[in-house]
Amino acid sequence: MANEEKKYVESAGRQVSLPMVRNIGIMAHIDAGKTTLSERILYYTGKNYKIGEVHEGAATMDWMVQEQERGITITSAATTCFWKNHRINLIDTPGHVDFTAEVERSLRVLDGAVGVFCAVGKVQPQSETVWRQAKKYKVPVIACVNKMDRTGANYYAVVSDIRTKLGANAVAMQVPIGAEADFKGVIDILDNKAYYYDGDENGAVIRIEEVPAEFHEKVKEQLHSLVECLAEVNDEVMEIFLADEMPSIEQIKNALRESVLASKIVPVFCCSAFKNKAVQKVLDAVLEYLPSPVDKWDISGSNPYNGAPDSRHCGDTEPFAALAFKIMNDPYVGKLTFFRVYSGVAEKGMSVYNPRTQKRERLGRLLQMHANQREERDSIFSGDIAAAVGLKNVTTGDTICDEDKAIVLEAMSFPEPVISIAVEPKTTAERDKLSKALGALAEEDPTFRVSTNVETGQTIISGMGELHLEIIVDRLTREFKVEANTGAPEVAFRETITKPANADTKFVRQSGGRGQYGHVVLDITPCERGHGLTIENKVVGGNIPKEYIKPIEQGITEAAQTGILCGSPVIDIHVNILDGSYHPVDSSEMAFKIAGSMAFKEACGKAGLCVLEPIMKLEITTPDENMGDIIGDVTSRRGSIAEVESDAATKFTKINALTPLSELFGYSTALRSVSRGRASYSMEPSHFDNVPKSIQDKIVEKSKS
């Protein structure tokens, strides 16, 4: 539907019209140059007056001390800037897999994204992860090949890699002028002009010239390739193409924008953000091809009272609806709730409704964020991203809306933690401080969990990886001033069954007076990985009254959560509650809850219980001469080599392997030792798999000691 057909009303107080707003994220594999690109965008849009470098710890978007020390992005930072009369709400997301939740929640509220790829490293494992996340939330993407100044840079190889590894219909939009140290600029194949970035002017001064003769054929070839790709997804272009004619540049641009919005095509641009070359053309592409809030017209949700599908569309006069996507504890203003307004206007002091808690809350101060700096606002309009102070019971994924026109917008889902450590305060006086600090951190981060080991009384913290937990402990000390001791990392194991089984269990207690009676018959079946735990009630004839079914389910769920073999949750199992009996006097909810728990444990005992461990997808990049040693080391860690890919030009080899997480603690030190510091690696969770019997026996024994 064209913009003019979409009837939206804008408030008189708006700075920028809705079709001229862009909500975009910068996403990529670690070290592809996302933050460096974000810094250039802030500089060229006039938001910053000097460029902050990541390697100097001076990047605006990497404002946390931990980010500046490590030179990586840990938390997604939001800011707003202006380019050619358009408003760009920009979120710079982390690349490290331990902080994948930051990418997940950011993409949920963004309309478009810029996928950044290293011109040398091409598509890497975390590139695939963020790409999957973008597809999950139907976020249109344009690609930017960064680091064109690096030795081994190859723009066309990256375009090809995006096609083969990500399955995306990638099309080159530019022809680079030179590469590596000779990268001078780009040729735009649509306006047929060469853009040179000379001297030390931070790329702010651009020389535009006619296309040099030696590039004529290449530009013609790339333009033909672009039209050919468009013909496959656009009927108008196809008709012109089949008639052996060339569509006009305007027709190509319109068809391209339409195809990008429908996620059918990914236009690929190139730049060297660090050397300040061609970043402005990426900004132009954001305006040209990525959607405005008007393009993302129907925002789907559900009615909180009956679960029926419902929707909203943008406009300042629509009923208010916004999604809280991030919680942050600010040392100066307290709890900050980041939210995206989908419809209506958020105003300072207004009352909003949270369908999850079924309570009203008041919006206190409204803040426009620029990384960790704040600007007070009276109103936040439809399509904008901001933060609020004063929302007490709102968590990540909650909808806040108009109570009279309530709606629940789709929340985001997060992966389960895979690694745990025990943590305790150095002094008993700090116990309460530690508890409050961990509570605040858990509220901020949905992939961080805090629990108590029932047997030992220890506080256990769980997260996505060693680095994730290392950052958490570091923040405890620096931000919350809590000194804590930590134990060695523990893998988050799971339990499952290998065959079907059943149980017929009675819980009977007589102690004078009213007793306890619960009788449950159930069967359990193993399911495929990723199924989780499902329970189905198949009781007929009123053998168990309806009011006792829920307690039985609670008993089963709690038993599954605490595990049977080694205290780890039981997963990938389906439970059928088949039959049972009750006593008119002695039966109670508690009796049936205990009976459900006992029956589940009894059935599991017959069903061939086994322990599952998290398997990581490991990608190692190593000099060719170290390849044999590294493959040997991975194999000794129970790893299986999936793929080995050599690059003759760089004399480096890429090794893909599947390796148990329990064997990878301290792997970075071992890898540095084997390769004399030249190899690098990245890993991300792949799946859970059976632990070998000999190791399982040790795990079970350890859990009982």
Side-chain angles (χ1 to χ4, degrees):
M1 196 190 290
N3 284 359
E4 53 269 24
E5 293 174 277
K6 296 174 179 175
K7 306 293 182 195
Y8 57 90
V9 180
E10 296 183 350
S11 167
R14 288 189 77 92
Q15 274 182 294
V16 174
S17 182
L18 261 170
M20 298 176 81
V21 173
R22 298 288 181 274
N23 291 307
I24 65 158
I26 310 288
M27 63 175 201
H29 181 87
I30 192 168
D31 208 28
K34 296 176 302 303
T35 303
T36 305
L37 179 64
S38 299
E39 292 299 316
R40 271 37 179 200
I41 288 173
L42 296 181
Y43 175 74
Y44 295 132
T45 57
K47 187 74 185 178
N48 283 356
Y49 297 102
K50 70 181 184 69
I51 293 173
E53 298 295 5
V54 175
H55 62 273
E56 292 170 359
T60 307
M61 302 298 266
D62 282 354
W63 56 270
M64 285 174 71
V65 179
Q66 292 85 351
E67 294 177 315
Q68 291 164 358
E69 287 176 350
R70 290 168 172 80
I72 61 168
T73 303
I74 291 168
T75 183
S76 52
T79 190
T80 297
C81 54
F82 294 85
W83 181 250
K84 296 186 177 175
N85 300 322
H86 285 67
R87 179 195 192 98
I88 300 175
N89 296 315
L90 174 76
I91 296 182
D92 175 31
T93 66
H96 199 288
V97 69
D98 283 18
F99 310 106
T100 190
E102 289 289 330
V103 186
E104 184 90 19
R105 58 182 171 193
S106 299
L107 284 172
R108 169 62 189 87
V109 296
L110 293 169
D111 297 328
V114 179
V116 184
F117 298 87
C118 172
V120 182
K122 304 192 277 291
V123 173
Q124 295 175 291
Q126 187 63 5
S127 316
E128 296 176 37
T129 304
V130 296
W131 204 265
R132 280 197 306 273
Q133 288 170 312
K135 280 180 78 174
K136 177 178 171 183
Y137 296 115
K138 299 181 175 65
V139 176
V141 180
I142 64 172
C144 171
V145 179
N146 189 21
K147 303 195 177 185
M148 284 297 295
D149 58 300
R150 286 264 307 274
T151 304
N154 189 330
Y155 172 62
Y156 300 109
V158 183
V159 176
S160 171
D161 224 27
I162 294 171
R163 284 192 195 124
T164 53
K165 289 189 178 169
L166 301 178
N169 195 359
V171 290
M173 298 297 295
Q174 295 169 332
V175 172
I177 303 170
E180 302 180 346
D182 296 324
F183 180 63
K184 298 182 178 71
V186 295
I187 297 165
D188 188 312
I189 64 171
L190 291 184
D191 66 13
N192 204 29
K193 289 276 189 287
Y195 294 79
Y196 292 91
Y197 302 83
D198 305 320
D200 299 316
E201 300 90 351
N202 285 338
V205 178
I206 308 163
R207 181 163 51 93
I208 305 172
E209 293 189 2
E210 293 302 312
V211 176
E214 68 264 29
F215 288 106
H216 282 180
E217 274 308 306
K218 191 66 180 173
V219 171
K220 196 174 168 184
E221 178 194 313
Q222 291 302 125
L223 184 59
H224 184 271
S225 178
L226 168 61
V227 173
E228 202 171 18
C229 283
L230 279 174
E232 291 173 14
V233 295
N234 184 280
D235 293 341
E236 186 188 357
V237 175
M238 181 182 272
E239 283 179 32
I240 299 168
F241 186 72
L242 292 175
D244 239 5
E245 294 174 14
M246 181 59 85
S248 69
I249 296 302
E250 192 180 345
Q251 284 173 317
I252 292 173
K253 283 188 174 182
N254 289 341
L256 189 56
R257 184 166 208 273
E258 206 176 282
S259 303
V260 172
L261 297 189
S263 297
K264 291 178 180 175
I265 272 188
V266 177
V268 188
F269 301 84
C270 65
C271 73
S272 167
F274 183 55
K275 293 290 174 70
N276 312 305
K277 292 178 180 176
V279 174
Q280 298 93 325
K281 295 298 287 178
V282 178
L283 269 171
D284 290 343
V286 165
L287 308 189
E288 194 106 49
Y289 303 114
L290 288 180
S292 73
V294 179
D295 295 306
K296 308 281 276 189
W297 186 243
D298 278 315
I299 301 112
S300 57
S302 60
N303 185 306
Y305 307 115
N306 57 23
D310 200 353
S311 68
R312 287 277 185 280
H313 63 76
C314 60
D316 296 338
T317 56
E318 294 294 308
F320 175 69
L323 186 72
F325 67 95
K326 180 179 165 81
I327 307 295
M328 191 175 97
N329 287 290
D330 188 288
Y332 303 106
V333 297
K335 180 178 161 182
L336 277 178
T337 305
F338 285 75
F339 63 96
R340 154 83 191 263
V341 180
Y342 282 96
S343 61
V345 177
E347 292 181 340
K348 189 163 76 172
M350 77 184 271
S351 176
V352 294
Y353 179 68
N354 182 346
R356 181 183 63 83
T357 60
Q358 298 180 4
K359 288 180 180 169
R360 282 192 297 274
E361 296 213 35
R362 188 174 165 276
L363 286 174
R365 292 159 63 196
L366 295 177
L367 306 170
Q368 190 73 64
M369 299 301 291
H370 176 49
N372 64 331
Q373 293 165 2
R374 302 164 294 276
E375 179 192 327
E376 295 267 354
R377 292 272 300 274
D378 291 328
S379 306
I380 304 295
F381 299 100
S382 173
D384 279 345
I385 291 171
V389 181
L391 296 173
K392 292 184 177 63
N393 297 309
V394 173
T395 62
T396 301
D398 278 359
T399 302
I400 50 173
C401 58
D402 182 333
E403 189 174 3
D404 296 330
K405 295 277 185 180
I407 186 172
V408 177
L409 301 173
E410 182 197 351
M412 49 292 271
S413 56
F414 299 103
E416 287 292 311
V418 294
I419 186 170
S420 304
I421 59 172
V423 61
E424 59 183 30
K426 285 194 174 172
T427 63
T428 43
E430 290 194 307
R431 191 168 294 281
D432 285 347
K433 270 175 76 178
L434 176 67
S435 179
K436 278 182 188 168
L438 290 174
L441 290 168
E443 192 176 33
E444 278 188 19
D445 184 350
T447 58
F448 172 62
R449 306 277 167 81
V450 183
S451 59
T452 303
N453 185 313
V454 182
E455 291 175 2
T456 63
Q458 281 182 309
T459 300
I460 307 294
I461 59 173
S462 308
M464 298 304 297
E466 284 183 276
L467 179 63
H468 187 194
L469 295 182
E470 188 187 313
I471 298 292
I472 292 283
V473 174
D474 194 30
R475 288 185 66 191
L476 281 175
T477 308
R478 296 198 201 199
E479 284 176 41
F480 296 93
K481 306 290 185 282
V482 178
E483 294 292 329
N485 296 320
T486 57
E490 296 271 341
V491 176
F493 293 109
R494 296 287 185 269
E495 298 175 22
T496 195
I497 58 171
T498 54
K499 59 187 180 186
N502 54 45
D504 184 337
T505 307
K506 281 184 182 175
F507 172 65
V508 184
R509 289 283 183 277
Q510 288 299 144
S511 54
R514 184 177 169 177
Q516 294 281 355
Y517 182 92
H519 175 208
V520 176
V521 180
L522 54 76
D523 69 21
I524 57 175
T525 317
C527 300
E528 73 282 354
R529 294 288 161 269
H531 178 87
L533 171 71
T534 50
I535 304 169
E536 191 177 343
N537 173 27
K538 290 191 170 180
V539 177
V540 291
N543 288 353
I544 300 176
K546 276 187 180 173
E547 65 265 27
Y548 295 142
I549 297 298
K550 199 159 188 63
I552 294 171
E553 290 176 353
Q554 284 173 345
I556 293 168
T557 305
E558 285 177 19
Q561 203 56 42
T562 52
I564 291 114
L565 265 183
C566 63
S568 299
V570 183
I571 59 167
D572 302 337
I573 186 170
H574 180 73
V575 184
N576 288 316
I577 305 170
L578 301 172
D579 201 2
S581 62
Y582 75 104
H583 189 281
V585 177
D586 291 352
S587 285
S588 65
E589 289 189 1
M590 182 53 73
F592 271 100
K593 184 177 176 181
I594 294 169
S597 173
M598 287 168 61
F600 178 76
K601 287 179 180 177
E602 185 187 326
C604 284
K606 301 174 188 173
L609 271 167
C610 66
V611 177
L612 301 173
E613 64 181 340
I615 305 294
M616 308 302 282
K617 196 189 287 181
L618 185 66
E619 184 179 280
I620 307 157
T621 304
T622 173
D624 291 347
E625 65 262 29
N626 301 123
M627 181 181 73
D629 291 338
I630 286 171
I631 288 177
D633 182 55
V634 168
T635 309
S636 73
R637 294 169 184 269
R638 297 194 284 126
S640 59
I641 306 298
E643 187 183 15
V644 177
E645 187 185 318
S646 289
D647 188 332
T650 60
K651 294 187 178 174
F652 268 73
T653 298
K654 202 177 275 183
I655 301 164
N656 288 312
L658 292 170
T659 312
L661 174 63
S662 58
E663 302 287 346
L664 291 172
F665 292 137
Y667 184 61
S668 54
T669 308
L671 187 65
R672 276 200 297 271
S673 171
V674 171
S675 66
R676 297 189 298 284
R678 294 181 67 202
S680 61
Y681 81 102
S682 65
M683 65 177 180
E684 62 178 55
S686 172
H687 62 283
F688 279 90
D689 206 354
N690 290 26
V691 172
K693 183 78 172 70
S694 58
I695 295 173
Q696 176 171 309
D697 292 343
K698 287 178 187 171
I699 294 166
V700 173
E701 196 178 313
K702 186 182 174 186
S703 71
K704 289 175 180 172
S705 61

